[in-house]
């Protein structure tokens, strides 16, 4: 069974994330989307909300499940019996950090490889941070995030004002 973990913050999930999820899910038997429960950061959405949004956005992809984790991605991947960590690369600016993280992860667990997928060009400029900013100021986010999560993002942005 070929299993991969796609770890991330997903605060919130974007169309770029969904594209990586769809494409990596087609390469493995099972893809586990791991939502980091990071107490150091103050996310816009709780980890439970982020999981629900990802579940709604991926409900038609049968070999994807969404879970939370805290601690190291490699430890979570090992717990899941996964051989791969999936990460998306949007631009060269992502590369330095991602390369460092992949080397660090591999030095901690040589049995887990990082699989990089280049983000679809049409989503390459999208990030969770810019989505939140646009939503906060009432801009159009419909081309940035899965339909299933649009209303929840606007509602939360409104609550934060
Ligand atoms: O969506 P993000 O915020 O870019 O995802 C970053 C994430 C969650 C993949 C990364 O911060 C992570 O793996 N955090 C858990 C701790 C860890 O394993 N760090 C990597 C070793 S430096």
């Amino acid at each position: 069974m070929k299993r991969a973990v796609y770890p991330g913050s997903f605060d919130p999930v974007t169309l770029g994330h969904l594209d990586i999820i769809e494409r990596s899910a087609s390469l493995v038997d099972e893809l586990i989307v791991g939502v980091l429960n990071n107490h150091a950061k103050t996310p816009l959405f709780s980890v439970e909300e982020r999981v629900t949004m990802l579940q709604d956005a991926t409900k038609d992809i049968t070999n994807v499940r969404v879970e939370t984790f805290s601690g190291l991605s490699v430890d979570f991947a090992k717990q899941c019996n996964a051989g791969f960590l999936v990460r998306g690369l949007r631009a060269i600016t992502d590369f330095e950090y991602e390369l460092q993280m992949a080397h660090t992860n591999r030095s901690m667990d040589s049995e887990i490889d990082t699989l990089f997928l280049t983000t679809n060009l049409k989503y390459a400029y999208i990030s969770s941070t810019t989505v939140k900013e646009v939503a906060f100021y009432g801009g159009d986010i419909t081309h940035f995030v899965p339909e299933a999560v649009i209303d929840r993002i606007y509602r939360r942005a409104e609550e934060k004002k």
Side-chain angles (χ1 to χ4, degrees):
M1 179 106 172
K2 215 180 277 176
R3 200 177 276 125
V5 162
Y6 179 24
S9 305
F10 305 105
D11 183 42
V13 57
T14 67
L15 287 177
H17 293 133
L18 190 58
D19 169 62
I20 297 292
I21 292 171
E22 284 167 352
R23 284 162 54 213
S24 55
S26 75
L27 299 174
V28 293
D29 299 303
E30 185 174 44
L31 178 72
I32 299 157
V33 180
V35 183
L36 180 65
N37 191 2
N38 184 349
H39 298 288
K41 280 193 185 175
T42 316
L44 184 62
F45 293 96
S46 70
V47 73
E48 293 80 14
E49 289 171 320
R50 285 178 275 151
V51 166
T52 304
M53 288 195 287
L54 274 157
Q55 281 169 338
D56 291 348
T58 60
K59 65 179 186 328
D60 295 330
I61 317 171
T62 52
N63 64 335
V64 171
R65 65 188 161 93
V66 186
E67 292 195 6
T68 66
F69 76 100
S70 42
L72 295 171
S73 290
V74 281
D75 290 343
F76 178 61
K78 204 177 189 95
Q79 260 174 44
C80 297
N81 266 322
F84 305 94
L85 288 170
V86 172
R87 293 290 289 168
L89 288 175
R90 288 169 299 189
I92 194 75
T93 43
D94 284 338
F95 187 72
E96 199 173 331
Y97 168 65
E98 293 295 337
L99 185 69
Q100 185 184 30
M101 198 157 65
H103 281 311
T104 309
N105 285 335
R106 197 154 162 77
S107 79
M108 291 190 286
D109 192 329
S110 61
E111 287 177 6
I112 296 171
D113 254 313
T114 301
L115 185 65
F116 288 116
L117 294 183
T118 49
T119 303
N120 188 318
L121 204 50
K122 63 184 179 189
Y123 305 131
Y125 61 93
I126 300 174
S127 74
S128 297
T129 305
T130 53
V131 165
K132 284 181 276 197
E133 179 147 346
V134 172
F136 189 81
Y137 292 110
D140 184 1
I141 59 164
T142 55
H143 301 300
F144 302 154
V145 297
E147 208 183 332
V149 307
I150 294 171
D151 289 347
R152 265 171 281 197
I153 299 170
Y154 279 128
R155 271 203 305 274
R156 181 55 48 83
E158 211 39 56
E159 285 163 16
K160 288 275 163 185
K161 281 184 185 170

